[in-house]
Amino acid sequence: MELKLNKPICFFDLETTGIDIGKDRIVEISVFKVFPNGNKESKTWLVNPTIPIPPQSTAIHGISNEKVANEPTFKELAPLVYNMIKDSDLAGFNSDRFDIPLLAEELLRAGVDFDMKNRVSVDVQTIFHKMEERTLSAALRFYCGKELDNAHSAEADTMATYEILKAQLERYPELENDMKSLSEFTTRKKIADFAGMIAFDDNNEEIFTFGKHKGAKVEKILEIEPGYFSWIQNADFPLYTKKVLTAIKLRKLNTK
């Protein structure tokens, strides 16, 4: 099955110093570009992240500080990377939540005005999660090694859910055994920026999701407390968050 394309699509993956989109850096990037006529192009670059690579990250991807010491920085590579993806849609595995946000940060940090306008993204992981069985019975089998008898009985389903949560907490030590923390972990918001610091409310209006103005409308806060915009722009927030906030401010000014 070949892809039906109206424009090129770039499949890409990043190896990084960690998983903090705002602070971590790329140590390797691979791009596989597929053109509508079937032609293909592939590039892989090792990157000097300019910050230390933690041992736990090296243990995952095998890229050490010594290995990238003499490699170009992402700022040096940014024109090459952007030239390869600028006319393309993007695809990856968990790319919507990690690779695209982190790539955007690196490009913006390098002075390249990257955004997702006029392109779409395809997250192959999301297709996997939506198409494969994600039922209560499948979860009980996976986490607990049990079959769910009398499925769709309220009592059986309730007890299975309880058993699954306990097994998840045992399997994933990074999950905090605290209901408030688990609630926040399992809450999905429609977000305006990659980092989730600006989300949309039920009326599709942007709201802050953090700090003293958590839940407040962004436009309203920018109007009554203009210094908040300057504080975010000068503080250690992701560059894409700052870009989105600037766009909201400019939109508001243009409607006056």
Side-chain angles (χ1 to χ4, degrees):
M1 172 85 58
E2 292 300 323
L3 300 178
K4 295 179 181 178
L5 302 175
N6 296 316
K7 64 191 298 186
I9 184 167
C10 285
F11 293 80
F12 79 103
D13 186 64
L14 308 177
E15 302 300 339
T16 66
T17 59
I19 59 173
D20 187 316
I21 288 168
K23 296 180 180 179
D24 279 304
R25 302 288 191 269
I26 296 171
V27 298
E28 186 178 40
I29 176 170
S30 185
V31 183
F32 179 66
K33 187 171 184 176
V34 184
F35 294 86
N37 65 2
N39 289 345
K40 300 175 178 67
E41 179 184 353
S42 179
K43 297 284 186 183
T44 300
W45 296 275
L46 282 171
V47 186
N48 183 335
T50 71
I51 64 173
I53 304 172
Q56 57 268 34
S57 297
T58 298
I60 294 171
H61 49 54
I63 300 172
S64 64
N65 293 300
E66 294 74 22
K67 188 172 182 178
V68 296
N70 297 316
E71 298 295 338
T73 66
F74 189 82
K75 187 171 185 179
E76 293 172 310
L77 289 171
L80 297 174
V81 174
Y82 184 68
N83 188 59
M84 193 168 182
I85 69 171
K86 65 182 181 181
D87 62 344
S88 305
D89 293 327
L90 298 177
F93 196 85
N94 194 34
S95 49
D96 282 355
R97 291 192 296 177
F98 182 72
D99 298 86
I100 291 175
L102 202 146
L103 178 63
E105 285 298 298
E106 287 277 42
L107 287 169
L108 291 170
R109 198 178 290 118
V112 178
D113 190 20
F114 172 83
D115 58 39
M116 291 298 292
K117 293 177 181 175
N118 302 317
R119 73 172 89 227
V120 299
S121 65
V122 178
D123 193 328
V124 176
Q125 185 190 64
T126 301
I127 296 174
F128 169 48
H129 286 174
K130 287 189 173 183
M131 297 303 292
E132 290 304 313
E133 189 181 10
R134 287 293 181 270
T135 63
L136 188 61
S137 297
L140 188 67
R141 190 180 308 117
F142 180 80
Y143 288 107
C144 305
K146 301 177 181 177
E147 293 300 324
L148 180 56
D149 297 324
N150 204 17
H152 301 298
S153 151
E155 181 178 1
D157 288 0
T158 298
M159 295 309 298
T161 304
Y162 168 65
E163 293 293 334
I164 290 166
L165 178 57
K166 291 194 297 177
Q168 286 174 327
L169 289 168
E170 288 183 7
R171 180 180 287 262
Y172 307 123
E174 62 268 35
L175 286 180
E176 187 176 349
N177 195 352
D178 168 78
M179 294 310 109
K180 185 174 184 296
S181 174
L182 290 172
S183 174
E184 291 172 354
F185 184 82
T186 57
T187 298
R188 296 184 179 181
K189 302 182 180 73
K190 184 182 177 185
I191 58 175
D193 65 328
F194 291 132
M197 293 181 169
I198 302 173
F200 292 98
D201 63 13
D202 293 339
N203 296 317
N204 212 35
E205 296 183 75
E206 295 96 344
I207 58 172
F208 286 113
T209 64
F210 69 96
K212 65 178 182 178
H213 294 306
K214 184 176 182 179
K217 295 186 188 303
V218 174
E219 284 194 357
K220 185 66 175 177
I221 297 304
L222 295 182
E223 181 179 339
I224 65 176
E225 191 179 333
Y228 199 62
F229 173 83
S230 299
W231 174 71
I232 290 177
Q233 294 298 323
N234 292 312
D236 189 22
F237 285 89
L239 296 176
Y240 202 87
T241 300
K242 296 178 181 181
K243 179 182 173 77
V244 169
L245 191 64
T246 300
I248 295 170
K249 183 178 181 180
L250 291 174
R251 183 184 70 203
K252 180 68 173 177
L253 290 173
N254 290 334
T255 57
K256 286 186 177 180

